[in-house]
Amino acid sequence: MLARHLLRTAAASLTLAATLLTAGGAQATGTAPGWEVSLSGDSPAESLMSVSSVDEDLAWAVGRKGPAGVIMRWDGENWSEDTAPGLPDVWQWSAVSAVAADDVWAYGTVKRDQALVHYDGERWTTVPTTGPADDSWPEVPIDAVPGRLFKGGNALYTYADGVWQTFALPHLVDIRDIDALSADDAYATGMRYPVDGGHPVTYHWDGTTWTLMDQPPVPAGTDTAKITAAAPDSVYVAGWADTPDGGPPAPGVAHWNGTVWQDVTGSLADLYLHAISSDGRGGLWVTGNDKTDPVAAGPVFWHYDGTTWTKEAGASAPDGDTRWPSYSFYDLAPAGPDGGFWAVGDYSMPMDTHGDQQINGLIERSAAVPPTPTARH
């Protein structure tokens, strides 16, 4: 899941810093209970796909603006474009994984080729990859831990000591997300496509090879594209399925307890589920694009405490559109040892007089506190 490892050592906090700043230095005005806007408006980012944090004062988020990839950096007060030397020109950066201040990885695409870079604390360096670019899903996942990098797509790849190891996958299998607990313990999920007629796949890495796990019991038609691992006995996979007649999407979530999978979707509903993250206490956060009927434009997050799902509103951007679909989040990650979370994505502004609509990058921050609205059982 792109550097979730802060959750495994951080104690959850019940407080959130009262003021977060936008990229331009002005005080954030978009707020909701538990969530605040940290980046919005006309910034270097049009859409952000992935976020990863070292601590509360250092994080990276990646995406694009127009036809060019962009990497944003958080310094504890502001988000600004990363200007460290060495970055190649790409169409989009789609994944980032930060192990330490001098050990950060990012993956992107340029035309029909792939780009992998590493930051050593001073500059970015291009690292040769192995295997072909994934034409089916160019947003290839990566996850890094001390001593090893994991990469998905049309095969499973590991990189350590300058050497790539490739694990071939069956025909039509594509890995969409990876989360590693350590160099010898990682989990990956994806699908044997097409979704209709195919099925979810989940693999476990034991330090030597990848092994296919039991099939998660998500509803038929669910595209399982997300995974998060808190421990070997607490792994979640998630995705969503289309419903007949263009109705609201049907999300699906399954939990691995170390022995068996269990469907824990419960009352989670009406969500194009694009992002999940362990909450560090056995539960998780999920988000994406909400389509509750009647549809509304606002950002939405759901929290699962291991038993019950609770829905809460995110913070709306001051210049955001009030019509659906305006807000989408594509990744969640812990924001540091205080227990906060980053959520990254984009939102649309209202149409102008010419019928044009501008899309802006969006970053929100939250405390890792269970939401307080009435729970849905």
Side-chain angles (χ1 to χ4, degrees), residues 55-346:
D55 54 39
E56 67 272 17
D57 295 327
L58 189 58
W60 283 265
V62 301
R64 68 180 185 276
K65 186 161 187 175
V70 61
I71 296 182
M72 304 291 292
R73 177 171 172 153
W74 169 256
D75 63 7
E77 293 185 350
N78 298 284
W79 284 98
S80 58
E81 187 170 2
D82 192 312
T83 57
L87 282 174
D89 293 330
V90 301
W91 170 72
Q92 172 180 270
W93 296 107
S94 59
V96 63
S97 186
V99 181
D102 58 356
D103 188 5
V104 185
W105 297 84
Y107 179 90
T109 51
V110 50
K111 296 183 180 179
R112 298 190 67 177
D113 203 356
Q114 52 188 330
L116 178 68
V117 293
H118 179 259
Y119 179 68
D120 62 6
E122 295 184 0
R123 64 177 293 114
W124 295 92
T125 301
T126 298
V127 178
T129 56
T130 190
D134 192 335
D135 290 335
S136 298
W137 302 102
E139 292 82 13
V140 166
I142 62 171
D143 195 28
V145 293
R148 196 178 299 274
L149 172 71
F150 299 92
K151 175 177 171 283
N154 45 25
L156 277 161
Y157 306 94
T158 65
Y159 182 76
D161 299 322
V163 177
W164 285 100
Q165 178 181 348
T166 301
F167 181 85
L169 296 170
H171 182 54
L172 297 179
V173 170
D174 208 280
I175 295 300
R176 304 287 303 282
D177 202 9
I178 301 174
D179 196 16
L181 295 170
S182 70
D184 298 328
D185 190 8
Y187 299 83
T189 196
M191 290 287 295
R192 193 263 185 207
Y193 288 100
V195 174
D196 293 333
H199 57 81
V201 295
T202 305
Y203 286 87
H204 174 245
W205 166 261
D206 62 5
T208 302
T209 190
W210 292 94
T211 302
L212 182 65
M213 301 172 65
D214 294 339
Q215 185 174 318
V218 294
T222 301
D223 188 352
T224 53
K226 295 298 174 181
I227 192 166
T228 184
D233 61 354
S234 186
V235 180
Y236 290 90
V237 297
W240 59 272
D242 288 318
T243 52
D245 303 320
V253 181
H255 179 249
W256 173 259
N257 65 7
T259 304
V260 297
W261 289 101
Q262 179 184 7
D263 185 347
V264 297
T265 305
S267 62
L268 178 65
D270 305 337
L271 182 72
Y272 290 103
L273 194 159
H274 300 312
I276 65 173
S277 182
S278 167
D279 68 359
R281 303 187 305 277
L284 75 161
W285 287 97
V286 306
T287 187
N289 182 288
D290 181 61
K291 198 182 179 184
T292 303
D293 190 19
V295 295
V300 166
F301 297 87
W302 289 76
H303 180 260
Y304 180 66
D305 64 7
T307 303
T308 301
W309 286 97
T310 308
K311 183 180 181 180
E312 70 172 41
S316 296
D319 57 348
D321 197 356
T322 58
R323 298 171 300 172
W324 188 90
S326 179
Y327 292 87
S328 293
F329 291 107
Y330 304 112
D331 197 23
L332 285 163
D338 69 348
F341 280 81
W342 293 116
V344 300
D346 56 46

Side-chain angles (χ1 to χ4, degrees), residues 38-64:
S38 186
L39 175 76
S40 65
D42 187 11
S43 76
E46 178 181 319
S47 183
L48 293 161
M49 305 298 297
S50 177
V51 62
S52 188
S53 172
V54 172
D55 54 39
E56 67 272 17
D57 295 327
L58 189 58
W60 283 265
V62 301
R64 68 180 185 276

